[in-house]
Amino acid sequence: MKKLAVAAAATVLLGAGPAAQQATKTTTAHPTSVLSIESQNQLVGLYCASCHSERGKAGGLTLAGFDAATIDQHADVAEKMIRKLRTGMMPPPNARRPDAATVNAFVDALETKMDAAAATNPNPGWRPFQRLNRSEYHRAVRDLLGIDVDVAAFLPPDTISKGFDNVADVQTFSPTLMEGYLRAASQISRLAIGDRSASATSVTYKIGRTGSQMRHVEGAPMGTRGGISVVHTFPADGDYVVKVSMHNEPLGGIYGRTTMATLDIKEQIEVSVNGERVSLVDLNVRMSEADPKNSLDVKTPPIHIAAGPQRISAAFIQRFDGPVDDLLVPLENTLADVNISFGVTALPHMRDMTILGPSTVTGVSDTVSRRMVFTCRPINAKEEETCAYEIVKGLAGRAYRGVATADDIQDAMGFFDRGRSKGDFEDGIRMALQSILVSPQFLFRLEQAPAQPKSVKVSRAHRISDQDLASRLSFFIWGTLPDADLMKVAGLGTLHTPAGLEKQVRTWSSAKMSWTRLAKRRRKHERSRMAMITSLLRHR
């Protein structure tokens, strides 16, 4: 179809002989006036018929029967002609064409015709179900519960279509994906609420071999080099052990032992929680992969850590105050090739860090996620039902990107009753939260058609609600749930207006982008960005 469009546009603009010149004189007598149907047909016939005839069919397109009065019935041809004419891509170089005023008048006439047809018979297209991809799911959980979760451990990779992983047409939903959502919801609800009966587990964070560990790692305490620093969410207050594994040389010994022995360097690993040292582990040159008594794995004593997200760092103590003057000066001292060691200060490198526990649970501390979930606390058993209803209503409303219906709340309350029957009040809330995280209202961006009386025939095209528009806007710009302010505007019913929509786009940009980036983006992309947003959010 693209070839047909190019051919169509080329035909419109191709020059001809004296007859064409006469047509130009006829049609450009009043360049600012609207071209009549006869003038448009005459223009196309004189400039295009010679190439796009029934016999020639340049580009596989014939315009011998072109009629401006019925061009709205051939929208594909008209739109392609408009694009080529507006951009000046046709006719080809050195070909004759009408003057610019005539071309503009002709394009204006085509656009007016097509706009009128679109307004009379709107065609918003077909929208399949839109599933949250891994990035959107991660951000939605973070904004809903205040915790960062590695969703890649639960969900399979998303299908990529033309460089994008959020194209609804190629998104699939399989039993394997459903199982992943179920596992993710179970783990996320436990981390958000806390688990007083948590059993000991292990989580390993790996370090790439190509990254240099001769420099300070962001997040680790000052005065350290290399290692790793992560934010780990602990399910409960308790005792945890941090295990650190070291890289080995080809013969199995700890990497960098030659340098340690030659320079008599005593290497130590500092383990810290939120920047505060909680353990200091010594390394020795006899550590080897083949020696069980001096293995490459070192552990800290049990460390008491509170529930919730905590920054855990394991890094080497920095032993050099200035740059190392080696015989060989590589760009980065990495483990890409451990055989190159002569003339290079090869110091120990960390392979991974594992967090084990909890071995002893002492309770669950107040965390950000618990404050976001528990908006009320029952004083006695009689208040549990009312408080649970309030909590579920708030969580469901935010998770479902709008006001939760009575059926939505009742479904979640059913899971609360199940959890409460097997445990305490928090167990019931955890089960309700788990049900919300696997609800189709959360996993899918569903848009409901407006309710119509049975006597009224429902049109295929309809205007989406302001709540659905707020969800489109939020996921389009930031890939996450709409915040409370945006939902409030949607509730007022002003978001669908052009002024209301543009105000929210600018407000979000100003609030979440630095002024420098915003200024550059506005200067460079102001018109194209607004046009894209208006096009993608077009709703009828």
Side-chain angles (χ1 to χ4, degrees):
M1 296 304 294
K2 291 184 177 180
K3 293 182 179 180
L4 298 180
V6 173
T11 303
V12 172
L13 297 178
L14 283 177
Q21 297 178 4
Q22 181 63 33
T24 302
K25 294 180 181 180
T26 303
T27 57
T28 60
H30 302 285
T32 59
S33 61
V34 178
L35 288 180
S36 63
I37 297 297
E38 295 181 359
S39 299
Q40 296 177 48
N41 292 336
Q42 183 182 19
L43 182 66
V44 172
L46 293 176
Y47 280 90
C48 309
S50 58
C51 295
H52 292 275
S53 61
E54 288 290 347
R55 183 176 181 179
K57 292 186 179 180
L61 175 69
T62 175
L63 293 177
F66 177 85
D67 186 2
T70 59
I71 188 59
D72 54 340
Q73 300 176 13
H74 308 280
D76 54 341
V77 176
E79 293 292 347
K80 293 170 185 177
M81 293 172 65
I82 291 171
R83 285 198 297 269
K84 295 300 181 180
L85 290 169
R86 281 297 188 200
T87 56
M89 297 179 65
M90 291 293 172
N94 301 324
R96 293 182 180 181
R97 69 177 67 191
D99 59 83
T102 302
V103 173
N104 290 335
F106 178 53
V107 175
D108 288 340
L110 291 178
E111 289 179 341
T112 301
K113 187 77 172 179
M114 298 309 300
D115 291 343
T120 304
N121 299 300
N123 181 19
W126 176 72
R127 175 183 171 86
F129 71 85
Q130 184 82 33
R131 175 178 57 81
L132 299 186
N133 60 21
R134 289 205 298 192
S135 298
E136 293 170 343
Y137 185 88
H138 169 262
R139 296 191 191 99
V141 170
R142 179 198 61 195
D143 293 345
L144 179 65
L145 301 173
I147 57 175
D148 278 307
V149 180
D150 181 17
V151 298
F154 306 103
L155 306 180
D158 296 302
T159 304
I160 305 297
S161 175
K162 297 182 179 180
F164 294 93
D165 60 359
N166 60 348
V167 179
D169 289 347
V170 298
Q171 286 183 333
T172 58
F173 196 79
S174 62
T176 301
L177 183 60
M178 189 65 227
E179 291 178 2
Y181 280 129
L182 290 172
R183 292 194 303 269
S186 177
Q187 181 65 14
I188 291 171
S189 61
R190 290 182 182 274
L191 293 177
I193 303 299
D195 188 3
R196 289 182 172 83
S197 60
S199 58
T201 58
S202 64
V203 179
T204 301
Y205 297 93
K206 296 184 178 295
I207 306 174
R209 294 175 61 89
T210 58
S212 174
Q213 295 189 37
M214 301 296 290
R215 302 183 181 183
H216 176 262
V217 173
E218 183 179 0
M222 297 301 296
T224 63
R225 70 162 183 87
I228 187 173
S229 180
V230 299
V231 176
H232 180 78
T233 303
F234 293 86
D237 301 349
D239 295 335
Y240 296 84
V241 173
V242 178
K243 184 183 75 171
V244 177
S245 300
M246 312 302 298
H247 273 292
N248 61 280
E249 292 180 339
L251 297 179
I254 183 173
Y255 178 76
R257 64 177 177 176
T258 304
T259 303
M260 293 171 62
T262 303
L263 301 180
D264 193 21
I265 299 175
K266 183 181 179 181
E267 285 287 359
Q268 293 178 304
I269 295 178
E270 174 185 296
V271 178
S272 62
V273 178
N274 297 326
E276 181 179 354
R277 178 186 294 178
V278 294
S279 182
L280 193 62
V281 183
D282 297 327
L283 303 180
N284 63 75
V285 296
R286 295 185 180 87
M287 297 177 68
S288 174
E289 193 177 33
D291 188 356
K293 295 183 178 180
N294 291 290
S295 67
L296 297 177
D297 298 335
V298 294
K299 296 181 179 180
T300 67
I303 304 170
H304 188 77
I305 303 177
Q310 313 287 350
R311 177 167 289 278
I312 308 298
S313 303
F316 300 95
I317 299 295
Q318 179 63 269
R319 297 300 182 185
F320 300 95
D321 294 332
V324 179
D325 187 13
D326 287 335
L327 295 178
L328 300 176
V329 186
L331 296 177
E332 289 289 349
N333 190 351
T334 72
L335 296 180
D337 191 345
V338 297
N339 294 321
I340 301 178
S341 58
F342 176 76
V344 176
T345 303
L347 298 178
H349 278 50
M350 194 178 301
R351 184 175 62 197
D352 56 52
M353 177 183 70
T354 302
I355 300 176
L356 307 170
S359 57
T360 303
V361 177
T362 59
V364 177
S365 297
D366 186 28
T367 62
V368 175
S369 58
R370 286 173 63 84
R371 289 193 294 269
M372 295 179 68
V373 171
F374 293 104
T375 56
C376 65
R377 284 288 184 177
I379 300 177
N380 50 53
K382 294 181 180 180
E383 296 182 358
E384 286 189 359
E385 191 76 16
T386 303
C387 182
Y389 185 89
E390 180 181 339
I391 292 174
V392 168
K393 181 180 179 181
L395 287 173
R398 287 184 287 145
Y400 301 163
R401 302 171 286 277
V403 180
T405 64
D407 291 339
D408 296 334
I409 300 175
Q410 190 61 39
D411 290 342
M413 287 299 295
F415 284 91
F416 166 80
D417 294 335
R418 294 183 188 180
R420 182 65 181 89
S421 64
K422 299 179 181 180
D424 56 11
F425 177 77
E426 292 191 0
D427 292 327
I429 294 298
R430 181 182 62 80
M431 286 296 296
L433 174 60
Q434 183 175 343
S435 70
I436 291 174
L437 293 177
V438 295
S439 171
Q441 301 283 16
F442 175 70
L443 298 178
F444 298 94
R445 292 162 53 190
L446 305 174
E447 297 177 355
Q448 300 295 334
Q452 297 285 352
K454 295 182 179 180
S455 58
V456 178
K457 183 179 179 180
V458 180
S459 174
R460 183 172 61 90
H462 61 271
R463 182 180 295 277
I464 66 175
S465 66
D466 278 28
Q467 284 76 17
D468 291 337
L469 180 58
S471 181
R472 284 198 189 188
L473 178 63
S474 179
F475 277 98
F476 174 68
I477 299 181
W478 301 113
T480 186
L481 304 173
D483 61 7
D485 293 337
L486 184 58
M487 292 308 301
K488 182 179 179 180
V489 175
L492 297 176
T494 59
L495 185 60
H496 70 276
T497 63
L501 180 61
E502 182 174 353
K503 180 180 179 181
Q504 289 304 311
V505 171
R506 295 183 183 277
T507 299
W508 278 45
S509 300
S510 301
K512 298 191 177 183
M513 294 174 61
S514 66
W515 285 107
T516 303
R517 289 181 59 200
L518 178 60
K520 291 181 178 179
R521 191 169 185 177
R522 280 182 176 175
R523 285 195 299 267
K524 187 176 182 180
H525 303 297
E526 181 72 16
R527 291 186 177 180
S528 61
R529 180 171 181 269
M530 293 304 300
M532 184 188 303
I533 292 174
T534 303
S535 175
L536 292 178
L537 297 178
R538 182 176 296 169
H539 55 289
R540 293 183 180 274

